[in-house]
Amino acid sequence: MKHDAALLVIDVQNAFVQGGSMPVPNGLEVIPVINRLMPLFSHVILTQDWHPLGHHSFASSHANKQPFQTTQLFYGEQVLWPDHCVQGSADAQLHADLDTQAATMILKKGLDPAVDSYSAFVHADRVSKTGLSGFLKERKVSTVYVCGLATDFCVAWTALDACEAGFTTYVIEDACQAIDLNGSLDAAWQAMIAKGVHRTSAQAVRDARAANKA
Ligand code: VGL
Ligand code: ZN
């Protein structure tokens, strides 16, 4: 029997792999790992970063700013990125090699031009919510496994907010890859561990699911 856990597959989009606008080193490596995990879950949620042109998280929207610098937005410090995941562009599409048939929901995020959204649960203003917590709770999901791109941004923020919302939360380390900007990967793991996020591997998840089925 599959139990009440959801797999959250974060931002496996053309933008974040080789050839995209903001490639995460080794980003493509997550795809076969995630494809093997998806059939083990009865709830699979995909997220898609989906920004309007001129989004405030783009360096190009600010005078004298380069990608990977930061600026102050009304909700706090924001890392500025290359233009990426512009709505409707090929760059914003989910990667063609990702098996999307098993997905029960595709959540688009980052639509508000003034507010970024790394997390699948709460926008970067830390106030407005996506509705994912309610969606999962209505389906009696109490445990989430998070994977995808990038470990230190969208995966970490999603995992932290999942914990905050009361879900038992795992991050599947080898089903993720990181950007690692100025120590952001270590900082993300420290924050996740401090919050109670469990760090696991794809093999451990497969073993646990097999034991659960037996
Ligand atoms: C992401 C930065 C900006 C991510 C998305 O998917 O990790 N990072 N937008
Ligand atoms: Zn983005």
Side-chain angles (χ1 to χ4, degrees):
M1 186 189 71
K2 295 179 179 182
H3 68 63
D4 59 346
L7 183 67
L8 309 185
V9 180
I10 305 300
D11 297 3
V12 182
Q13 292 168 261
N14 293 334
F16 301 118
V17 302
Q18 205 180 312
S21 56
M22 227 180 102
V24 175
N26 308 315
L28 282 171
E29 288 179 17
V30 304
I31 295 173
V33 183
I34 293 171
N35 284 345
R36 263 185 92 183
L37 289 169
M38 285 197 284
L40 305 178
F41 290 85
S42 30
H43 308 271
V44 176
I45 316 297
L46 311 178
T47 69
Q48 196 170 12
D49 210 34
W50 191 253
H51 298 309
L53 270 174
H55 193 259
H56 290 200
S57 75
F58 297 172
S60 64
S61 303
H62 303 266
N64 308 315
K65 288 288 186 184
Q66 298 303 316
F68 311 110
Q69 294 180 333
T70 60
T71 194
Q72 284 299 126
L73 296 184
F74 74 90
Y75 50 77
E77 190 176 75
Q78 170 72 45
V79 179
L80 296 173
W81 304 104
D83 290 15
H84 66 278
C85 296
V86 171
Q87 296 172 359
S89 66
D91 192 62
Q93 296 310 306
L94 293 167
H95 194 279
D97 293 343
L98 188 70
D99 279 335
T100 55
Q101 307 92 291
T104 47
M105 182 199 207
I106 300 177
L107 175 75
K108 289 182 157 73
K109 61 184 181 63
L111 282 79
D112 184 333
V115 183
D116 207 2
S117 194
Y118 296 147
S119 164
F121 291 94
V122 187
H123 301 125
D125 61 9
R126 312 307 299 143
V127 179
S128 49
K129 306 229 167 131
T130 66
L132 180 57
S133 173
F135 179 94
L136 294 171
K137 286 175 183 172
E138 284 204 341
R139 283 163 174 72
K140 311 280 185 249
V141 169
S142 56
T143 302
V144 299
Y145 289 80
V146 191
C147 61
L149 302 170
T151 321
D152 40 347
F153 288 92
C154 291
V155 168
W157 286 52
T158 296
L160 291 167
D161 286 344
C163 253
E164 185 67 34
F167 296 98
T168 302
T169 306
Y170 293 83
V171 168
I172 310 169
E173 188 167 11
D174 54 337
C176 302
Q177 293 290 340
I179 297 173
D180 203 10
L181 205 60
N182 305 318
S184 57
L185 182 59
D186 280 348
W189 276 117
Q190 275 179 33
M192 289 192 282
I193 299 299
K195 186 98 187 168
V197 173
H198 305 283
R199 186 174 187 160
T200 189
S201 68
Q203 185 61 54
V205 173
R206 288 194 295 266
D207 291 348
R209 309 253 105 197
N212 193 259
K213 267 186 193 161

